[in-house]
């Protein structure tokens, strides 16, 4: 934990990064599965296939996407607090946080509603099929961009960060002996 300039130990930090990466990769994978299912449902002429695809999207959301999304958000925030990266010290961290919250909101109030509309259509073609498929693909693009941010760490520090002192002045030791 960050207390008086100290950060989490190496092993704890590694464990937190591992958990954060694992749940984030799970979220990305579930998002990719949802893209395939939504595209399949949107472009098939078979009502039975549509019904199964939308049911599977709903199950993947309930058991993988939602828990992984919130675990990723919480894990990222914990890492911000216990490492040198902070929540608003670096642009790449801040952009990841904003994108994570945006994807969770968009998935809840956009994609989730479209899944329900498609399920309610009972296998018939639905006008929500296209927005669901392309919206799920947009989420995947956001996941990949966040992954790139984690690797590249672009843009440097935010203006809210205190300047870094490279070489602190030596302590006064009195008169030379």
């Amino acid at each position: 934990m960050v207390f008086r300039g100290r950060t989490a130990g190496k092993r704890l930090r590694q464990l937190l990064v591992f958990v954060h990466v694992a749940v984030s990769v799970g979220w990305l994978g579930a998002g990719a599965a949802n893209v395939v299912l939504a595209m399949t449902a949107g472009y098939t002429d078979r009502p039975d296939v549509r019904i199964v695809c939308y049911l599977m999207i709903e199950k993947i959301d309930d058991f993988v996407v939602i828990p992984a999304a919130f675990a990723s958000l919480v894990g990222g925030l914990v890492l911000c607090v216990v490492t040198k990266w902070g929540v608003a010290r670096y642009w790449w961290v801040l952009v990841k946080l904003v994108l994570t919250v945006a994807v969770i909101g968009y998935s809840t109030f956009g994609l989730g509603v479209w899944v329900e509309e498609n399920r309610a259509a009972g296998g018939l073609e639905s006008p929500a099929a296209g927005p669901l498929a392309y919206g799920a693909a947009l989420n995947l693009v956001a996941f990949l961009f966040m992954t790139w941010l984690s690797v590249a760490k672009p843009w440097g520090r935010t203006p809210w960060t205190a300047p870094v002192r490279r070489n602190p002045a030596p302590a006064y030791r009195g008169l030379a002996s």
Side-chain angles (χ1 to χ4, degrees):
M1 308 282 287
V2 176
F3 299 109
R4 297 183 197 158
R6 300 186 70 185
T7 61
K10 181 179 178 181
R11 294 284 182 215
L12 176 59
R13 196 172 55 252
Q14 286 175 335
L15 175 65
L16 292 171
V17 169
F18 168 75
V19 170
H20 179 65
V21 169
V23 297
S24 297
V25 168
W27 188 20
L28 185 144
N34 281 348
V35 169
V36 171
L37 290 166
M39 291 286 185
T40 300
Y43 289 103
T44 187
D45 292 330
R46 295 183 51 193
D48 58 329
V49 171
R50 281 191 199 109
I51 291 169
V52 170
C53 286
Y54 294 132
L55 178 63
M56 291 304 300
I57 291 171
E58 188 175 71
K59 294 302 176 192
I60 290 170
D61 283 351
D62 289 347
F63 294 104
V64 182
V65 171
I66 294 168
F70 284 100
S72 180
L73 176 61
V74 170
L77 287 171
V78 168
L79 280 168
C80 288
V81 171
V82 303
T83 65
K84 66 179 182 177
W85 300 114
V87 175
R89 286 186 196 134
Y90 293 88
W91 282 111
W92 70 272
V93 175
L94 196 55
V95 170
K96 275 186 68 175
L97 175 61
V98 168
L99 275 175
T100 298
V101 171
V103 167
I104 290 171
Y106 177 67
S107 296
T108 302
F109 300 111
L111 299 180
V113 172
W114 295 325
V115 170
E116 292 302 316
E117 288 177 16
N118 284 303
R119 293 251 356 253
L124 300 174
E125 287 188 34
S126 167
L132 174 61
Y134 294 105
L138 182 63
N139 273 359
L140 198 55
V141 169
F143 296 144
L144 293 172
F145 182 62
M146 287 187 279
T147 302
W148 175 80
L149 288 173
S150 296
V151 173
K153 297 175 178 52
W155 309 316
R157 292 176 171 265
T158 64
W160 310 287
T161 305
V164 177
R165 288 181 50 184
R166 300 258 182 227
N167 295 322
Y172 177 72
R173 298 189 186 265
L175 297 174
S177 313

